[in-house]
Amino acid sequence: MKLTFLGTSAGRPTKARNVTSIALSLPEPQHGFWLFDVGEGTQHRLLGSKLKLNKLERIFITHLHGDHIYGLPGLLTSRSYFEGAVPLTIYGPPGIRTFIDCVFHQSGVHLGYELEIIEVEAGHVFSDSYFTVEAAELVHRMQCFGYRIIEHSQPGKLNLPLLKSLGVPSGPLYGKLKQGEDVTLASGETIRSSDVVGPPVNGRIVTILGDTSPCDNVLVLAKDADLLVHEGTFSGGMEEKAYAYGHSTVLQAAKAASEAKVKQLVMTHFSSRFDDEAIEQLVLDAKEIFEHSAAAYDYGEFCIHR
């Protein structure tokens, strides 16, 4: 699993940073990716990455401020030009359907693929064989969600040398054993799954927050996450201004990461007042509270290891 940041600026783009969008590349055997927010210019940023629009499977929108959704109509329209585009599902706050329907109606768009729009509420959002996604409301100037992506635990590895020594033929029996089933060989001998399969591999947790002031749901969503994406719009000492606009400082982000016991904090959504040198100092300030803090940058990649 890997996060690629396609936009890391707050409110408006700068020469170095586009507005918000984050891509989550899924692990094998899956080969697609999901997007979290689609700020204006996101499809241009995608052109500079290895990500292809026909592999985009799901889009999660945190809230309806323009720097998080103005790139959505163009991206959805361009996706029709890609052969083999799989069906696409968009998840977002109430109002996301009206926004898309209005733009498409007025501009006469006809998509060449199946599009589903789901307006989310707090709680369970989505699940399949590999992941569960949960949402909770944050504190911002409009309804805004954060998302918690939970990878399901996977069966442990087969002990191949032991299987060979026990005379278990490769093929369907291997699959049954890996899924926890005991099998009986032609000789009548029973092979127990627990004897030949290692312990389950724990799934990873990624938390991606929308814009927010500090609140309890930040900690709920981020608890024990392998990676937390938290906005750092303002510097320490600007807490009053941050609160007035429904945002957080980098110090508040670091405090949340520490309290939630996450493994890694990646801060994004930086005010355009900060250049790269200033952001380096913001990270140093955050590290005083939470050592494993980093700043996102456009095209920055962060791997989520087991």
Side-chain angles (χ1 to χ4, degrees), residues 8-55:
T8 56
S9 182
R12 61 187 177 91
T14 69
K15 289 183 178 180
R17 295 175 182 270
N18 197 39
V19 285
T20 299
S21 186
I22 306 168
L24 173 63
S25 297
L26 305 177
E28 294 184 355
Q30 303 169 95
H31 300 287
F33 71 99
W34 299 348
L35 279 179
F36 291 81
D37 287 336
V38 187
E40 180 183 0
T42 293
Q43 66 171 315
H44 292 277
R45 277 294 195 260
L46 282 170
L47 292 174
S49 76
K50 297 179 181 179
L51 301 166
K52 303 300 181 184
L53 270 179
N54 59 340
K55 299 297 184 182

Side-chain angles (χ1 to χ4, degrees), residues 3 5 205-209 212 218-219 222 224-232 248-268 270 282-297 302-304:
L3 286 182
F5 285 82
I205 299 173
V206 180
T207 299
I208 300 176
L209 303 179
T212 188
V218 166
L219 303 183
D224 298 326
D226 293 274
L227 190 148
L228 166 65
V229 178
H230 195 305
E231 66 135 284
S248 298
T249 69
V250 293
L251 300 187
Q252 289 170 328
K255 183 173 184 289
S258 177
E259 292 180 358
K261 295 180 169 52
V262 308
K263 293 181 180 177
Q264 183 178 12
L265 167 66
V266 181
M267 297 175 292
T268 187
F270 297 107
L282 295 183
V283 173
L284 293 176
D285 294 342
K287 284 178 176 287
E288 292 293 322
I289 297 174
F290 185 73
E291 180 181 359
H292 303 292
S293 299
Y297 55 93
F302 294 83
C303 292
I304 303 104

Side-chain angles (χ1 to χ4, degrees), residues 152-301:
H152 299 168
S153 296
Q154 300 297 315
K157 293 184 178 180
L158 289 169
N159 187 329
L160 298 179
L162 179 57
L163 287 170
K164 185 176 181 179
S165 69
L166 293 172
V168 181
S170 60
L173 293 184
Y174 276 28
K176 290 182 178 180
L177 288 165
K178 190 172 180 66
Q179 295 303 317
E181 296 182 41
D182 297 339
V183 302
T184 301
L185 304 181
S187 64
E189 181 183 3
T190 297
I191 306 298
R192 294 189 304 174
S193 172
S194 58
D195 292 336
V196 296
V197 179
V201 179
N202 292 330
R204 291 159 284 191
I205 299 173
V206 180
T207 299
I208 300 176
L209 303 179
D211 296 357
T212 188
S213 294
C215 63
D216 291 343
N217 277 344
V218 166
L219 303 183
V220 171
L221 290 167
K223 180 177 171 56
D224 298 326
D226 293 274
L227 190 148
L228 166 65
V229 178
H230 195 305
E231 66 135 284
T233 307
F234 294 105
S235 62
M238 301 181 71
E239 284 76 16
E240 186 174 340
K241 187 178 185 69
Y243 180 77
Y245 286 95
H247 289 297
S248 298
T249 69
V250 293
L251 300 187
Q252 289 170 328
K255 183 173 184 289
S258 177
E259 292 180 358
K261 295 180 169 52
V262 308
K263 293 181 180 177
Q264 183 178 12
L265 167 66
V266 181
M267 297 175 292
T268 187
H269 201 268
F270 297 107
S271 168
S272 58
R273 74 186 68 206
F274 302 121
D275 59 16
D276 288 346
E277 184 178 351
I279 289 175
E280 288 181 7
Q281 182 59 53
L282 295 183
V283 173
L284 293 176
D285 294 342
K287 284 178 176 287
E288 292 293 322
I289 297 174
F290 185 73
E291 180 181 359
H292 303 292
S293 299
Y297 55 93
D298 286 29
Y299 293 122
E301 296 182 346

